[in-house]
Amino acid sequence: MRDVLRSLKEGVVQGDQERVLKAARTAVERRLDLPLMASQGLGAGMEDVGKRWNRGEMFLPEVMLSAQIFKEAMAILEPAIRAGGKTVGALGDFVIGTVSGDLHDLGKNLVAVMLETTGFRVHDLGRDVSAEDFVNALKNLGGGILGMSALLTTTMIEQKNVIHAIIETGLRAKTRIMVGGAPVSIAWAEEIGADAYAANAHQAVSIAKGLARDMRGGVPR
């Protein structure tokens, strides 16, 4: 299993399409832990790409190639992950999206798939989502868990604006809020009044389960 995981991660970073797609097909054929392959293989690879980009060690065409390979590999893994998922909706509603002004959605898409296969009813609003659209989705559901992603320092402020809009509309008590993204940290989550911060897709699922238990227990905000 480790060889496949390594090929997924290293192949994404190196832009080695053939290696990554072969590893993805092997993971499905061997019935390996596919959510783990997606998060700790492909997802970890893209996290590494993001760090290298921020350090000026990768150029835009290389990053775009890695992102394209990530998408193609996920297209192989995703149907098998969904087929092996638990009952959709058993853990409640989860609204997810990338905040206004931000068009990056690879990490958000990975989290959405893993949440759905874990048992959440996922409402994926996509990318470049306005505060109004986040609030309307929560209104229609009567609350739930909200996950917001921001991949840029210039857009992470939108997470704060969305939380403010949720408070203004009286939905805060019925909503648990998780934030994530490359420039986001636990300190930022605490500063803007979010309930949790997730550093990666695997952690996001674990934290979401905890928030769902919190909501079922009726713990007030």
Side-chain angles (χ1 to χ4, degrees):
M1 186 171 79
R2 289 183 178 178
D3 58 329
V4 178
L5 198 60
R6 187 183 309 113
S7 291
L8 291 170
K9 181 179 179 180
E10 292 180 354
V12 165
V13 175
Q14 296 164 355
D16 190 338
Q17 182 192 45
E18 183 177 352
R19 184 184 182 190
V20 173
L21 299 188
K22 181 181 178 182
R25 294 188 189 98
T26 299
V28 174
E29 290 167 3
R30 292 186 188 174
R31 298 182 180 180
L32 300 180
D33 185 339
L34 299 183
L36 182 70
M37 295 295 120
S39 62
Q40 300 301 308
L42 298 175
M46 283 308 300
E47 285 181 23
D48 196 352
V49 168
K51 291 176 182 176
R52 290 170 186 249
W53 162 256
N54 289 332
R55 294 197 298 263
E57 298 173 0
M58 290 185 77
F59 297 102
L60 184 58
E62 296 171 310
V63 174
M64 292 178 68
L65 175 60
S66 294
Q68 180 59 35
I69 293 172
F70 175 96
K71 286 182 179 178
E72 292 176 8
M74 276 303 297
I76 295 172
L77 297 183
E78 189 173 327
I81 292 175
R82 291 186 186 281
K86 299 180 180 179
T87 304
V88 174
L91 293 179
D93 292 299
F94 195 109
V95 176
I96 190 169
T98 304
V99 296
S100 178
D102 204 318
L103 301 178
H104 302 81
D105 62 0
L106 293 181
K108 183 269 295 174
N109 291 344
L110 176 57
V111 171
V113 171
M114 292 183 65
L115 287 170
E116 186 171 313
T117 55
T118 299
F120 285 95
R121 185 181 299 104
V122 176
H123 307 267
D124 189 348
L125 305 186
R127 56 188 182 179
D128 192 17
V129 181
S130 68
E132 182 181 6
D133 286 343
F134 277 121
V135 168
N136 285 337
L138 291 167
K139 272 185 181 176
N140 291 335
L141 295 169
I145 304 176
L146 169 64
M148 291 184 285
S149 175
L151 270 293
L152 301 170
T153 54
T154 52
T155 59
M156 58 191 284
I157 189 65
E158 284 298 322
Q159 294 177 331
K160 182 178 182 179
N161 294 337
V162 173
I163 292 175
H164 180 72
I166 290 171
I167 294 172
E168 288 289 304
T169 52
L171 285 167
R172 188 66 181 96
K174 299 178 179 179
T175 305
R176 298 295 183 270
I177 302 172
M178 180 192 306
V179 293
V184 178
S185 65
I186 189 168
W188 171 250
E190 291 173 355
E191 179 182 334
I192 64 177
D195 296 300
Y197 157 74
N200 54 54
H202 224 63
Q203 194 177 81
V205 171
S206 176
I207 292 173
K209 287 180 179 178
L211 293 176
R213 285 194 297 272
D214 175 31
M215 295 191 76
R216 286 197 298 273
V219 178
R221 285 287 309 164

